[in-house]
Amino acid sequence: VSHIAPSKATQAEIDLAVKTSLHDGLSLYNLNDDALSQAQPDIILTQSLCEVCAVAKDEVDDKVSCRLPPNQCQVLSLEPESLEEVTETFVRIADACGVPERGEELRRSFWEGAERVLLATKKSGIVKTKEALPKLLFLEWVDPPFNGGHWIPDMVEKWSGCRTATSWV
């Protein structure tokens, strides 16, 4: 649950609320204690890569230790920063769920699909020599401008044929 209502605010207002919360050391999200207790999960997936994207991992750990019986729930934190690391999370999650072969199959299937996209872009003539490639800027929001990061540049460069311009903004 977030105290920021994105459907009722402009991008600039959301940006200011996020920056203010982070500056003041406040989490953007709160876990619903009752829902967590009722769910009695075996595994919780979270991340500590970006405090704007999800509940802080420390808060998840604290809530799990306070609300669930000891050793009942595994908290699995995922922090992929590249596309390769994203596909490694498929395997980590499947391993934690006791079905490692499904994670390996999903990773293999993902890369096969990615290869088909790459071949299609090459056939289309979109992919040119490195020097002739257009630069592409990927923004997560525009007011104020905020670059897309983590695995976004990998995806753009691999499949669009464009170079990413991550330092323009």
Side-chain angles (χ1 to χ4, degrees):
V1 180
S2 176
H3 65 275
I4 298 172
S7 63
K8 297 178 181 172
T10 67
Q11 289 181 357
E13 290 167 338
I14 294 168
D15 185 70
L16 179 61
V18 166
K19 288 177 178 172
T20 301
S21 291
L22 294 177
H23 178 267
D24 294 344
L26 302 173
S27 177
L28 298 175
Y29 309 96
N30 297 307
L31 286 175
N32 182 321
D33 293 349
D34 293 334
L36 178 64
S37 296
Q38 285 180 335
Q40 294 290 308
D42 297 312
I43 299 171
I44 294 177
L45 304 178
T46 188
Q47 57 87 35
S48 58
L49 186 63
C50 175
E51 292 185 15
V52 174
C53 301
V55 177
K57 182 183 181 311
D58 291 343
E59 183 178 346
V60 174
D61 289 339
D62 289 346
K63 295 285 183 172
V64 166
S65 67
C66 291
R67 296 298 231 159
L68 299 175
N71 302 317
Q72 174 192 316
C73 183
Q74 175 186 3
V75 176
L76 186 59
S77 186
L78 308 166
E79 289 86 25
E81 293 190 30
S82 69
L83 203 49
E84 182 64 39
E85 290 175 1
V86 168
T87 65
E88 289 170 12
T89 67
F90 304 162
V91 177
R92 286 189 60 208
I93 294 167
D95 283 346
C97 293
V99 288
E101 67 285 349
R102 291 178 69 183
E104 292 292 346
E105 171 60 23
L106 181 57
R107 178 168 51 184
R108 184 190 62 71
S109 175
F110 175 88
W111 286 119
E112 285 175 359
E115 191 61 30
R116 286 193 301 275
V117 171
L118 183 58
L119 289 172
T121 57
K122 284 182 179 179
K123 283 183 183 179
S124 73
I126 293 171
V127 178
K128 303 175 183 347
T129 65
K130 193 74 168 171
E131 297 77 36
L133 292 174
K135 286 184 185 174
L136 178 96
L137 177 62
F138 183 92
L139 296 175
E140 293 198 25
W141 60 81
V142 296
D143 185 18
F146 188 84
N147 286 348
H150 309 302
W151 56 85
I152 299 298
D154 279 357
M155 283 189 334
V156 169
E157 290 180 9
K158 186 167 188 79
W159 293 306
S160 73
C162 295
R163 295 175 292 158
T164 55
T166 56
S167 61
W168 286 6
V169 178

